[in-house]
Every structure is written in structure tokens, then in C-alpha cells.
Amino acid sequence: MNKFKISALCIALILGMVAGYAQTTTWNLEGTILEPYYNNPVEGAIVSITGLKESVKTDKDGKFSVKLASSTGEISVWFPGYYTSKQPISGRKTITVILIPEEKSGYSENMLLPFKGSTNIREKQTNLFSIQKKDISINKTDIEQVFSKIPGLQVIGKSGMPGEGSFFGIRGTNTFTASSSPLIVVNGIPYMPDMNESGIIGGFSKSVLNSLNPRDIQNITVLKGSDATLYGSLGSNGVIMIETDKAVDLDTKVEFSSQLGVDLNQSTMPVMGVKDYKNYISNVSLTKYSDMASALASFPYLVDDQTYYYKYLYNNNTNWQNLIYTPGITTDNVLKIKGGDEIAKYDISIGYKNKGGQMVGTNYSKYYCRANADVNLSRKISFNSSIMMSYMDYSLQEQGILENTNPLLAAMKKGPIFSAYDKDANNNLLPSYASIRDADGNLIENNSVSNPLALVNKVTATDQDYDIQINAGLNYKMNDNISINGIMGLYYFFSRQNFFMPGVTETSIMPLSNLLANNTVRSAQGVTFNTYFNLNANYKKTFNDIHLVKASIGAQVAINNNEYNAASGYNTANDYYKTLGYVSSSSRNYYGYLNAWNWMNYNANAQYIYNQQLAFGANISVDASSSTGTDATLFQVYPAVNATWMAKNSILKDVNTINKLNIRAEYSTTGNSRYSSSLSKYYYVSKVFNELSGLTRSGIPNTKIVPEFNQTFNLGTDVSVLNNRLDLTADVYYTKNSNLIMPVSSTSSYGTDYVYANAASAENKGVELGAQFAVIQTKDLKWYVGATVSSNKSDVLSLGGQKNMVMSMSDGSAVISEVGNSLYSFYGLQVDESNPVFSTSDQAKNAKLRTAAGKYYQAGDMHFVDQNNDSIIDDRDRINLGSANPTFFGTINTSIQYKGFELSANFGYSLGNKMYNAVRRSMESMSDFTNQLVSVNNRWMSEGQVTSMPRASYGDPLGNSQFSDRWIEDASYLKLKELTLSYNFKFMNGTTVYITGENLFTITRYLGLDPENMYSYDTSLRGFDYGKVALPRSFKVGFNVKL
Amino acid sequence: MKKLIYSIFALAIAVSFSSCSDFFNPDTSEILLEKDYVGDYTELYSGYMGIASAVKDVADQELFLEGLRGDFMEPTSNAPREIWDVYNHQDLTNNSFASPKGYYNVIMNANDYLAHIFAYHKKDSTSISDTNFKGMVGGALRYKVWAYLQLAKIYGEAVYLDEPVTSYGEISKYPVLKFDDIISKCISLVENGTNGVTGKGDVDWIAALFPGQTLGDANWHWNKICPRPECLLAELYLYQNNFQKTKENCIAFIKRGGEQENYSYQINLSEYNGEWQKMFYLRTSMRKENSFLLFYDYSLHQTNRLVNYYSNTYPNSYYLKPTIVGINRFKVQTASGVVGDTYRGTGVTYKEVNGDTVIYKFLQGNLTADKIYTNDASITLYRAAEMHMFLVEALVGLGRFQEALTFLNKGISGAGIKPVGTAFPAPFQEYPTTLYLATGDKSNSGIRGRVNLDAVGVFALNSASVLDTLVNMRRLDSLIVEEASLELAGEGKAYYAMNRMARRWSSNADRSWASHWTNALGNSNPNNLWGSDVQNTWAAKIGAKYTKGSGITSSLQSSLDNWFMKYKISE
């Protein structure tokens, strides 16, 4: 241990701080303890000072006076209902301490750190931000909603499909190939679930945090700085540390929370009514049929003939979008029991949650239990463990641009003239869903859209998940300074998904698979099994009252296995046979993956804090993973250093207007090894030759692949002023992402189009601000206002010699990452702003533009900009159309408390983000006989008409609706995410009742259903509005009883 | 105290490192790491099938590229930009449709396989029989040769890889060979092979896969998954104007078919006239014609793009269609004076469907509603007719017009040639009577005779002088290309025959093959036979399918290099 002393002293000497030592034998210290508002004195506050045998209490003026042996100690003040305040005396004779009330909204003192348990805000040296239980509102049912209060953490609700939760990301995108999700650490165990979207249920990307309940969360801390270095190549996207509840007190406590609510659909798109739809049909049919007679033969309802026998089929005015939505009942109930004795403490939760989606036929329910135990085996050895088990059951509908099965699209596309139910010739409704087939079983040409009502009622898409998380840890406290921790964790997740779309006996749904599949069966199962081990030694000691030294050293291992198998098939004999065993043999299709990924990490940390004034820290990780190439250096080194100046405890110690001023500087490095182990391997895959097994090489191996490398410079400050009423945390950062793995376009002589290599680099820079202001904070009336503002700009610096990298989607849309611009910007054609549609034939003729196939653009066609001046509009004319990354995003929250009442509001906003509105593209394409948005009433109809909406033409031969800036919109928004009114019965242990409204209004110019949506966790698909259900407008009532 | 900490960490480290290499190379059983291959001799068979499936992946592209550059195909307005770029000779940078990567993938796999099989054989020479070892080496070599031959024909150059490429960044150390050098390398790979094993060996897959079963319609195709050495050599030697070698290989091929493959490859009456079209859709009746065949099965998820690109019936894309020029070639043929190629023309090679012309040849097996989407039309890459065309071309080059025209037109049987004793009379004594029987459905009917068309090229039989002979050689070469354009339309052949003739008769072509005649005339280029005429003629024929002013004709006329697709292949 001498080593530590010596080094600590050396550091102090070098810094010239030795002068701070006071040599007096007696030191008179007087102090005043105040509460923050109106500076009222606190009577009876307990003041403890290093070296003082007994604590003293303040008098009615909040004053105390003591005689001390030296002036170097630390003063600690505590009063019930307030946080303990500690600060160094640092040679002062008078001290004023302003206490911080425990109920202060948005303020958290405790922060989780890797392996070391937690740290106090006073010792905070790095970019840490935490949220504690008291700031997690009781109406929250998804844990991601809590994240949004953390500066720099972007949370985007994925959809209103129950159970999808939200996407979350820290500080932009910094990878092309590896995982871009923050590392989640639950109770010390890295949690690495399968984050892929479902392989068989369109657009379904379930929340990976569904197994956690916000009521069980003790603390959430986000690490963005040098602490993340301790996770080496897992830390590049930041780390979200989550700690679940533990029993602290010895008495038994029972708590029951329950809520009941309703989810309503809040958004539909304006589609054409009967008259407009008929006009549109006759318009588009003339571009398909050579004469009106053939058009009328297919679309008899275009003729206004009252005697037409089949008129009853077409005399409807159905609002399809209303039919597929219904109020969904939601409930969330948790019973918590905690208690124990001095030897063992426990904390148990059991819960049931149900979320009925706002779309008919969708539901999500969860049954779960969690048990947390802490056992003191001896004075030195303690044991802790937690077990979480949940069973989740989802009933879903397909999402995405799947026009035949996504009810949302079908409801927009289905013409209003059709009935939802079959009818007889006398116009009476029959119980069956209206068929889209004729008497011979053939599809009716003028009615080729699935009956949306049949979709939501007859299609079954289910998912059942079993989630088990177990961890156990042993702590050996060798002495007051040294402890050793060992922890192991197991994560098992089993998911079973089934999909059945009827269509044989149920004749109201469009066949799939190129119209071949009258009914379709899909089935999949996935298993994730992860294990984790960690061994860690911690050291902490204060020398001479003013030199605090902390150090740790540790090793950790993660072994992850992840398997997914899916199968599909179609055409069972009838809709009663719903399993794969009955599908036709040639329709069977299989798909799956099997990933194994292992990781090992050694880490060390050292911190030195001088008299709570200056802090220095250093972290290092030595890290290896199975995704590193066999010919590359296996172990990579990630160092980090940080320094903090706590000005309030040094030169500002007597400045009472400033309660805290810390200035932090950090340089940290992390890596990203979370990409497939097979990427860097020289291997063979099975490739069947007819029925015989074949083995072929899997491309060209790049066995030199190493993890991606990130260097971050972070400068930050934490400020408290106005008697601790205004807290501000601000950070600026610059991250250089190098060695990014990308598919490098290789010469085709390698037998492949690309090879993965550490070829790219990028940078991310940004600002993060968090502010919390107690405008009024009296005993009865409190008013808090808080906000976060975050900004991130990513730029590609290099792409291995390539200028850009384009990723194309199957619908012709694309994203480009090009040097000097954001990662994943939209990439498509540009419409001539001054003249978006050729209004006259002469205009079109003069432009001389044609398609790659040689077709000339006519009057009424879109006027795309011919960027390369070759007179041909093709994919070579695409340009960068902007990015889905917002310029600024964040939250604003406010709450007013009067006695037991509290009214709080949370707003979320995002500014400057673009979105690709694929739904509108599909609904304004005017290329077939499906219903369209009312906006197509402005379509070009006649020579000379000036409009921005092109002509309707069957099949869109000129590509007027191809991917272009027509579909890229500004999706900035301001949303009232939550408005809650609650009442706290203080006399009943804090029992609370509340009423909440969520997503009450959105201010946006975005034309789609909801500007807040995310296809999946895949960051490259950020900003792709692929027909996901809008986030619901929810109303809830609930209570929380404490016994 | 410290000791304890150290020992705990030492233990942790020891545990974690004990099986370090496995820990960082986790086994997923989904992939086979290179170091574990070949673990078991059966993996050698799998490896061979792996190369075969790599060939399957590129087979449809073979047909598309030839059709688009030749005069038979053109894109429809549905076709994506990349197809139009190939057709219009535009910049092909990053054009996946024109990319040679599939051929290199075959080569990479073949090289890998060869390295592994030799290494395995060195270690354990008993697990596989000598015949099968030589057969698998030979087969792998021929897959590689086939791929290089295609690269030469399509792109005119190739990076020559003769060992496995094991890491990214290595390609620059390998040479880029031009057309003639590739051909020489290919010939050497078949004739001499590598490590003392030639490229001629073959595995009897039927015996290996279906022991105890005899050759039958259910399994015969397994022995045709690799190109025969005779086929490759016949074609390769043509590019060297080594007509003698081509002829030998063609005859060896035909003999082998007759003697060992149940009377196959004789262009006989079993596929006579109306039966001709069945060769493209009925697997069971193709035995006598197909030599190198790739078969697909939708239900096993093995498909190609032929049906999707050619058919205009939903749900297919209909990207490619036959050209007017290509169609007209069939329309001007005569049968007994009546115009039209009844058995190969309309309704067979092409057809009016849904108001548009489609390439119909490969669709016939996939026409019904339950098959129209299945995209598993078989693709034939060498067949008896093409081998006979090679033979005809070689015989012309050797000045043996009578034999050449007999095989091209009516066949030995159709020409009424009857054996005298045990042999045909001169000049047909080389061809065994057992294979070209004068009667019955095994009798040779000739390429055109098989589809009842009138004879062509008979003018050459009256070559009165040495000069006449040379002139007629050039004329007959043109006829051969025309016939290939009909017989092998859409099969990825005719454009390369045009190119071959243009090269053979270009002004600086090697004329040593004709020295017998030029010496006799005392003029190395009589009547300026060698010049740009042939090139110009074919360039104009190809150019006819484009709109006027496309510049494609003049581009093809200006340089033989322009006949190749320009695709960046080096780093």
C-alpha cells in the first residue's frame, strides 16, 4: 500500500498543493445551515466534521460553532428530508451550507459505475448522468421513456404496435457494420439481446427492454465518457447502467401499483371519398385500357346506372381507417415486497401488464417476477443475486410497406365504395367479410386490396417470449480499503413467433408471394443464451483527510450465443390448417442464423482526488473478442484519462452565489467489437447443389479485421447556482471514429462485390445540455422546470478511398454515406423546384428528358433534375437529400406541486430531421386502382395546368413516384409526451393516485401518420416511415399504495 | 493479502486462456472454418458440388450478356438501367449485371478446392480412389477453365489466379492476361493439368451417388454437371485455329457419346424436326443432346433468372425480348422452298405472348400457372449441336468442305451416304458407322436436316481453285455463324462465334493455319481476304438492332477490343 501513498503524495507535490496543509492546532469554525428557498435557517441539522468525535446540531438560527484540531477536514451536514452535504473546510473559518431537499425534481446524487458499485455526485469526475427512482414517474410503463430525460440520449418511439417500445441511441451513429446500440448493463451484467426485427412478422421490432419494469428501477446511469472505457470494445456507443430495486431498510414494505388506461389511435391520413375516388379510377383506367368501354367493363361502378344489378356492391361509403382502430385497454400492475433483517434482505416484485393496441387484433401482455436478495454471509463476505423471469405474449399485425397485409395501408388503399361485409342483392349486410374474389374464385380486378377488417380480425401474428435473467455475485471485503467482487450472469431468451394469413376459406384477403399464396404460414423461433463473468478488486482510501485514492482492477468474460430459425410456406388445404406441416411442399422456405460471439476484457482504473478540489483519473482496458480477425492483433488497448476541477471547493469556496462549479475534461477511447464473428474469418458455407450438399467459399476473408476504434474528447461542466435551485450540466464532445468496418467495393476479380475492411473513419461532434430549475420550492408549493438540448453532427471522414457508399432498399430508396456528409443520408432524385411538373407538352419536349429505357417525359410528368446532363433520368442523377439526424432534440418538462397535488408535463422535440414518407409515396403514386390521398386531386389533368402533383398513369412507366425528394419531408416536431395530475396522500406512506394523458398533441408539418417513428433498432433505417402504427394517444388512471 | 489477489487473477487468466484459440473462434456449426476443411473425405465431394453451384449462379448471366451484345436480344422498357447500359455499351462501373464476379467466384472456389484436395491426398491417399481423385481434380480444373474461357470471351482479359487468394489486397500480385494468353493457359490446364494430374479426369457421379443403379433418365444428368474436356478443348483450339485438334476432340466427344452414353450426341432422328424444342424443357429427352447442363429446382431454392427476365406473364419482370433482326433470321430460312424455320422459329425460340414478343425457348417448361414463377428452367452450356458446329468449323478450316456441309445440312444419313462394308465411303471413313447408322432413329440427320431446312453452302463444294477454296472458307465461316445464331439462339454462343470469325480473318491474324493454300498461291493475303471485311460485316449486323446513330456499329468496326465488355478488374 505504500506505493499508493507515495504516488498520491507525489501527485500532490507536483501540483503544488502541499501549501494547503494548515498547521494550526486549534481552528474555530462557524457555520450556517440553510434550506434553499428564502434562505431559511435549518434548526437541528447534524454537523459532523472529520476528527471531531461528536456531531453537533445547529441552533434555531441554523448556526453551529466548533473547535477543530485542523482546518483540513471535511464537513458533513445532514437533516431529515435533505441530502447529506459534504465539503472540505479548506482553511475556512465560516461556512454556509445550503442543503438540497431529497424531493428536488430531476436531481440525483448517486451514479452507477462499472464494477465499483456507485459514486456520489461529489466525486463525479466524468460525463455521467443518472436518474433515480424518485424521478421515474409512476405512470411510466416502458423504461425507454425514462431514458429521454438524459441529455444526449435520443429516444424515438418505434410505433404504436404494442410491445415495440422505443429506439434509443447515444451521440449519433458511429458505425456501418457493428452494433450501434448503447451497451445496457443490468445489475452489473452486460445485457446483449438479439435486436433484429422479426424475420416473419413484417416490421415487428420488439423492445429489448420489455422484461424490465420501470417500477423496479432504482437507478439508471449513462456513461458517455472515460468510464465507458472499462467496457473496452463494448463501450463505443455509451453505456446505460441499470440497477433494479434492492431492499435498504430492515422493515418489511409492501407496495402495490396499478393503472388502467386506454390507447386510442391519434392519426389517420386523408384519403379520397367516393366521388374523388371514382374520378381517379376513370382517369387512371384510361391510361391502362385503350378505350372507355374496356375500362367500364372492369369498373362498372363508373357508370351511374341505377338499374345495374350489382350496384349494391359499390354503393358504400366506408371509412376504412376508422374500422381498423379500436380503443385498446391497458393495465400495468406490480406488487412489491421488500424487507429482511441484518443478515438477509430481499426485494420481490410480481407483475402483470397488458397493453391492448389501438389497432384491432393487437395486444401485448407480460407476466413477470423478480427477486433480489442481499445476504451478509459474514462481516466480510456478502452475497447478492437477482432473478428475473418474464413471459410475454404478443398479438400483432404486420407493418411495413406490405400493401396486402399491413392493415394500415390496406385501410388507406381500399376504395370507400366497397363494403366491409358481404351484402345480398337487397343491400343487407351478411356476417362474412366482403370477399375480393368472384364466384369462380378469381380475384376481382377492381377490388384487389385486402379487406382491412378481415386482416385485423383474421390474420394471426403472435409472439411468445420467455426471458430469464439470473445473476449472482460475491463480495469479499478484505478490509476497509480493499474489496473483491465476483459476479456471474446468465441470460436466456426464447422466442416463438407464428404467422398465419388465411385466404382459402376466407376470400377477403389478397394472396401473397406473387399471388400464389392464398394462405400463408410462417413460423420462427429464436434462442439467445449469454453468460458473463466478472472478477474485480477495488481499493479506496483517503490519506491525511485530503488525498482520496481509488483504484480497481478486473477481468470479465462474455460468451454469447444466438440462434434464429424461421420457415414459411403457403397454400394449406384450407384455413383451418394453420401449421407448416400442411403447406405445399414447393412453397417451403427456410431461413436462419447462428451467431456465436465471445469477449474478454481486462481493465484497470485509478483515481486521485485532492481535497475535493482536483481529480484525476485513468482507465485502461485490454480487450479481445472473437470478431477480431485471426491474423490481427487479438488484444486491443483502450486508455482513457480525465481531470476535473471542482472550483466551488477551491477558489469559489466563499462565493455563495455559486453552489457548485465543476469543470471536467476527458479523453477516452473505446472500441466496437459487436459485429459478427464470421466477418473476419476464412470460411466455407453450405451451398446446396440440387439435393447434394456443397461447400463454397464465403467471399474473400479479411482476417486482419480489428474492432472499430473511437477517441472522444469531452469537455463538460456541472453548475449549481441560486442556492442549488438551478442545476446545469453541459458537455461538448468530439469523437473520432476510426477503423470503421465497411464493405469496401473490391474489384470483381475477388469473386465478390465487396470485402469488409477497417477502411472508414468518421467524426461525431455535439453539445449536450441539461438544466433543472426549481422556480419555486417551498414547503407547500413547488414549481420545477427542466430541459435537455442535444445536438449531434456526424460526418464521414473517409471511406477507404471511395467517395461514397450507397445502400439501396428494395423499394428503390437508398441512403448514402459520403465523405464530408452525415452517415446514412437519403439519396435520390431531385425534383426541379421551380417547375416540379411539366405543365405543357412544349415544356416537356424542350427538356428532352427520357428514362434509361428511352421513354420521353411528357406533360404532366415529374420534372426531375438531370444532374449529369445526359438527358437521361436514372440513378446516376441521384443526390444527397439530407439526413434523418435532427439538428437538435431533447425534452422539456415541468411540474407544479401544491401540497399533495402535482401537475406535470413532459414535452419531446426534434428539430431539423428529415423523413422518407414511404406511406405517402405509396398513397400518391397514382399508378393503380387503389385509393389515394386527397392530395392527388391536384394531379395534372390538362395541358397547361400548373401543379406539383403529376398525372395519374397506370404502372407509372415514367417513374414519377420513384424515390426522390418528393417523399423527403421535414419531420421536426414538438410533442406533449405526457401530462399527469396526481395526488399524494402523505399520511398514507406516500400513496398516490394519478391520471395521465400521453401523446396529447403533436405540432409538426410532417404529412405522415406520426413524425416520431422508427422501423427497427437499425440506425441505417432511421427516418424511414414504412407504415408503422402511430404512437397511441393514451389516457390512464392509476394508484400506488404503500403499506 | 496481495498474494491472494494475485493468485485469484492468475487463476482467472489461466482459465480464460486455456483454450484461447477456440474461445476466439467459436464454432457455430453454420460455417466451416478454413482450418477445419477438409476434415473428412466426404467434404471433398461437397467442395466439388460447391464449385458446381458457383457455376449455376453465373449461368444465366452468361446467356444475358451474350444476347444483349449480340444481335438476338434487347431490353424492354421494364429493364433496369444496368441492363440498358450493357446493351448500349455504356459505362459499366459498378454494374452488377455485367460484373464478372461470378466467374471469379468459380475460379476462387476451384483454386481453393484444388489446394485442399492435393493437400488432403498427400496426407491420406487411400480414402478416395485414384480415379475419383483424378476425376475431382480434373473436374475442378475444367470448371476453372470454363470460367476463364468465358472471361476471355466476354471481357477479353482476366486476372490469372493459380492459387487460392487467402486475403484481401492480394489481387494486385497476379497478372492480367489478354485473350490469347488466357486461351493458351486454359488449353494447358486441360491437357497438362496441375501437379501431374490432367484436367481430363472425370467422376462417375451416378456410380458415386447412386451405387448399384444403372444409367437412366432419373440420374443421367448428374454426369453432365461438369464440362467435358473434349468440349472445352474443341472450343479452345478453335480460337487458336488449331482445326485438327478441334476435329479430334469433336469426334472423340461424339464417339464417347455414342459408345458410352447410350447413343448420345449424334444429331439423330430422336430429336428430329418437331422434337427439337423439347431439348429445352424436357429433361428426360435431352440426354442425347446435352453434355454440360445445369439444372435447377425451385423447391430446393435453386433458381435462375431466365423465366423472370423473359416471360411477360405475371409475376415475371420481362426485361429482355428478342430483336427484330434475330427474329427475321428465322423468317428467311427455307424448307423445301417454303419460307420459315418451322421447328426453331416462331412458337419455339420466340413467340407472341400477351401482345409482345418473348424469348420463348426456355419458358416452355414453365408455362403453366403453377410453374410460371418457379424460375428453374435448365441451362445448357454445351450440347451436341454446338459440338457439331465446332466440327463443321474445324472441317472448313481444314478445307474438308464435303464433310463440313454434310454435318451442317442433311447429315450422313440425310445425304444418303451408306456404309460400304464396315465403313462409310471416303471422305467419311473416319466416322464409325455404328454411330451414324444410315437408318433408324440413330441415323445422323445434320444440324439443318434435323429441323427440315434446306441445305446451305453447297456452292463451296465446287471450289475450282485454291483461291476459291480460301474464299469459300470465309463464306462458310459466315454461314456457320448464321447457323449458330439460329440453332443456339439465346444460348450464349453466337456473338462469340462472330467475334471468333472477326479475329480469324482480321488483317493481323495468325494465318499459319492457311499456309497450305497461301503458299500455293504465293500470296500471304490473296484478294485481301484478311482485313476488316468480316469484322465490319458482323459489326453492321449487330448494329442493325440499335437506333440509327448509336455508334455501336462503328465502334465494333473500329477495333476488335471494342467487342469485349470493359469492366475494371484490377485494383
Side-chain angles (χ1 to χ4, degrees), chain B residues 87-113:
Chain B
Y87 175 78
N88 285 325
H89 293 227
Q90 296 292 310
D91 175 26
L92 298 177
T93 310
N94 293 332
N95 188 320
S96 61
F97 188 75
S99 168
K101 71 167 182 186
Y103 298 101
Y104 284 103
N105 187 34
V106 173
I107 293 160
M108 293 266 175
N109 273 294
N111 282 341
D112 244 43
Y113 181 78

Coordinates of all heavy atoms in Angstrom, one line a residue, chain B residues 87-113:
Chain B
Y87 N -26.5 -3.1 -72.9 CA -27.0 -3.1 -74.3 C -26.4 -2.0 -75.1 O -26.0 -2.1 -76.2 CB -28.5 -3.0 -74.2 CG -29.2 -2.9 -75.5 CD1 -29.4 -4.0 -76.4 CD2 -29.7 -1.7 -76.0 CE1 -30.1 -3.9 -77.5 CE2 -30.4 -1.6 -77.2 CZ -30.6 -2.7 -78.0 OH -31.2 -2.6 -79.1
N88 N -26.4 -0.8 -74.4 CA -25.9 0.4 -75.1 C -24.4 0.7 -75.1 O -24.0 1.8 -75.4 CB -26.7 1.6 -74.6 CG -28.1 1.7 -75.1 OD1 -28.4 1.3 -76.2 ND2 -29.0 2.1 -74.3
H89 N -23.7 -0.3 -74.6 CA -22.2 -0.2 -74.5 C -21.9 1.1 -73.7 O -21.0 1.8 -74.0 CB -21.6 -0.1 -75.9 CG -21.6 -1.3 -76.6 ND1 -20.6 -1.9 -77.3 CD2 -22.7 -2.1 -76.9 CE1 -21.0 -3.0 -77.9 NE2 -22.2 -3.2 -77.7
Q90 N -22.6 1.3 -72.6 CA -22.3 2.4 -71.7 C -21.3 2.1 -70.6 O -20.9 0.9 -70.5 CB -23.6 2.9 -71.0 CG -24.7 3.4 -72.0 CD -24.2 4.7 -72.7 OE1 -23.8 5.7 -72.0 NE2 -24.3 4.8 -74.0
D91 N -21.0 3.0 -69.9 CA -20.1 2.8 -68.7 C -20.6 1.8 -67.8 O -21.8 1.8 -67.4 CB -19.9 4.2 -68.0 CG -19.1 4.0 -66.7 OD1 -18.3 3.1 -66.7 OD2 -19.3 4.8 -65.8
L92 N -19.8 0.8 -67.5 CA -20.3 -0.4 -66.7 C -19.7 -0.3 -65.3 O -19.9 -1.3 -64.6 CB -19.8 -1.7 -67.4 CG -20.4 -1.9 -68.8 CD1 -19.9 -3.2 -69.4 CD2 -21.9 -1.9 -68.8
T93 N -19.2 0.8 -64.8 CA -18.7 0.9 -63.5 C -19.8 0.5 -62.5 O -20.9 1.0 -62.5 CB -18.3 2.3 -63.2 OG1 -17.4 2.7 -64.2 CG2 -17.5 2.4 -61.9
N94 N -19.4 -0.5 -61.6 CA -20.3 -0.9 -60.6 C -21.6 -1.6 -61.1 O -22.6 -1.7 -60.4 CB -20.7 0.2 -59.6 CG -19.6 0.7 -58.8 OD1 -18.7 -0.1 -58.6 ND2 -19.6 1.9 -58.4
N95 N -21.6 -1.9 -62.4 CA -22.8 -2.5 -63.0 C -22.9 -4.0 -62.6 O -22.1 -4.8 -63.1 CB -22.7 -2.4 -64.5 CG -24.0 -2.8 -65.2 OD1 -24.6 -3.8 -64.8 ND2 -24.4 -2.1 -66.2
S96 N -23.7 -4.3 -61.6 CA -23.7 -5.7 -61.1 C -24.2 -6.7 -62.2 O -23.8 -7.8 -62.1 CB -24.7 -5.8 -59.9 OG -26.0 -5.4 -60.3
F97 N -25.0 -6.2 -63.1 CA -25.5 -7.1 -64.1 C -24.3 -7.6 -65.0 O -24.4 -8.7 -65.6 CB -26.5 -6.3 -64.9 CG -27.3 -7.2 -65.9 CD1 -28.2 -8.1 -65.5 CD2 -27.0 -7.1 -67.3 CE1 -28.9 -8.9 -66.4 CE2 -27.6 -7.9 -68.2 CZ -28.6 -8.7 -67.8
A98 N -23.3 -6.7 -65.2 CA -22.2 -7.0 -66.1 C -21.0 -7.5 -65.4 O -20.0 -7.8 -66.0 CB -21.9 -5.8 -66.9
S99 N -21.1 -7.6 -64.1 CA -19.9 -7.9 -63.3 C -19.4 -9.3 -63.5 O -20.2 -10.3 -63.5 CB -20.2 -7.7 -61.8 OG -19.2 -8.3 -61.0
P100 N -18.1 -9.5 -63.6 CA -17.5 -10.8 -63.8 C -17.3 -11.6 -62.5 O -16.7 -12.6 -62.5 CB -16.2 -10.5 -64.5 CG -15.8 -9.2 -64.0 CD -17.1 -8.4 -63.8
K101 N -17.9 -11.0 -61.4 CA -17.5 -11.6 -60.1 C -17.9 -13.1 -60.0 O -17.3 -13.9 -59.4 CB -18.2 -10.8 -59.0 CG -19.6 -11.0 -58.9 CD -20.2 -10.4 -57.6 CE -21.7 -10.7 -57.6 NZ -22.5 -10.1 -56.6
G102 N -19.0 -13.4 -60.7 CA -19.5 -14.8 -60.6 C -18.5 -15.8 -61.2 O -18.3 -16.9 -60.7
Y103 N -17.8 -15.4 -62.3 CA -16.8 -16.2 -62.9 C -15.6 -16.3 -62.0 O -15.0 -17.4 -61.8 CB -16.4 -15.7 -64.3 CG -17.5 -15.6 -65.2 CD1 -18.2 -14.4 -65.5 CD2 -18.0 -16.8 -65.9 CE1 -19.3 -14.4 -66.4 CE2 -19.1 -16.8 -66.7 CZ -19.7 -15.6 -67.0 OH -20.8 -15.5 -67.8
Y104 N -15.2 -15.2 -61.4 CA -14.1 -15.3 -60.5 C -14.4 -16.1 -59.2 O -13.6 -16.7 -58.7 CB -13.6 -13.9 -60.1 CG -12.8 -13.2 -61.2 CD1 -13.4 -12.2 -62.0 CD2 -11.5 -13.6 -61.4 CE1 -12.7 -11.6 -63.0 CE2 -10.8 -13.0 -62.4 CZ -11.4 -12.0 -63.2 OH -10.7 -11.4 -64.2
N105 N -15.7 -16.1 -58.9 CA -16.1 -16.9 -57.7 C -15.9 -18.4 -58.1 O -15.4 -19.1 -57.2 CB -17.5 -16.6 -57.4 CG -18.0 -17.3 -56.1 OD1 -17.2 -17.4 -55.2 ND2 -19.2 -17.7 -56.1
V106 N -16.2 -18.8 -59.3 CA -16.0 -20.1 -59.7 C -14.5 -20.4 -59.6 O -14.0 -21.5 -59.1 CB -16.5 -20.4 -61.2 CG1 -16.0 -21.7 -61.7 CG2 -18.0 -20.2 -61.2
I107 N -13.7 -19.5 -60.1 CA -12.2 -19.7 -60.1 C -11.6 -19.8 -58.7 O -10.8 -20.7 -58.4 CB -11.5 -18.6 -61.0 CG1 -11.9 -18.7 -62.4 CG2 -10.0 -18.6 -60.8 CD1 -11.7 -17.4 -63.2
M108 N -12.1 -18.9 -57.9 CA -11.6 -18.9 -56.5 C -12.0 -20.2 -55.8 O -11.1 -20.8 -55.1 CB -12.4 -17.8 -55.7 CG -12.0 -16.4 -56.2 SD -10.7 -15.7 -55.1 CE -10.4 -14.2 -56.0
N109 N -13.2 -20.7 -56.0 CA -13.6 -21.9 -55.4 C -12.8 -23.1 -56.0 O -12.4 -24.0 -55.3 CB -15.1 -22.1 -55.6 CG -15.9 -21.5 -54.5 OD1 -15.8 -21.9 -53.3 ND2 -16.6 -20.4 -54.8
A110 N -12.6 -23.0 -57.3 CA -11.8 -24.1 -57.9 C -10.4 -24.2 -57.4 O -9.8 -25.2 -57.0 CB -11.8 -24.0 -59.4
N111 N -9.7 -23.0 -57.3 CA -8.4 -22.9 -56.8 C -8.3 -23.4 -55.3 O -7.4 -24.1 -55.0 CB -7.8 -21.5 -56.9 CG -7.4 -21.2 -58.3 OD1 -7.2 -22.0 -59.1 ND2 -7.3 -19.9 -58.6
D112 N -9.3 -23.0 -54.5 CA -9.3 -23.4 -53.2 C -9.4 -24.9 -53.1 O -8.8 -25.6 -52.3 CB -10.6 -22.8 -52.5 CG -10.2 -21.8 -51.4 OD1 -9.2 -21.1 -51.7 OD2 -10.8 -21.9 -50.4
Y113 N -10.3 -25.4 -53.9 CA -10.6 -26.8 -53.9 C -9.4 -27.6 -54.3 O -9.0 -28.6 -53.6 CB -11.8 -27.1 -54.8 CG -12.2 -28.6 -54.9 CD1 -12.9 -29.1 -53.8 CD2 -11.8 -29.4 -55.9 CE1 -13.3 -30.4 -53.9 CE2 -12.1 -30.7 -55.9 CZ -12.9 -31.2 -54.9 OH -13.2 -32.6 -54.9

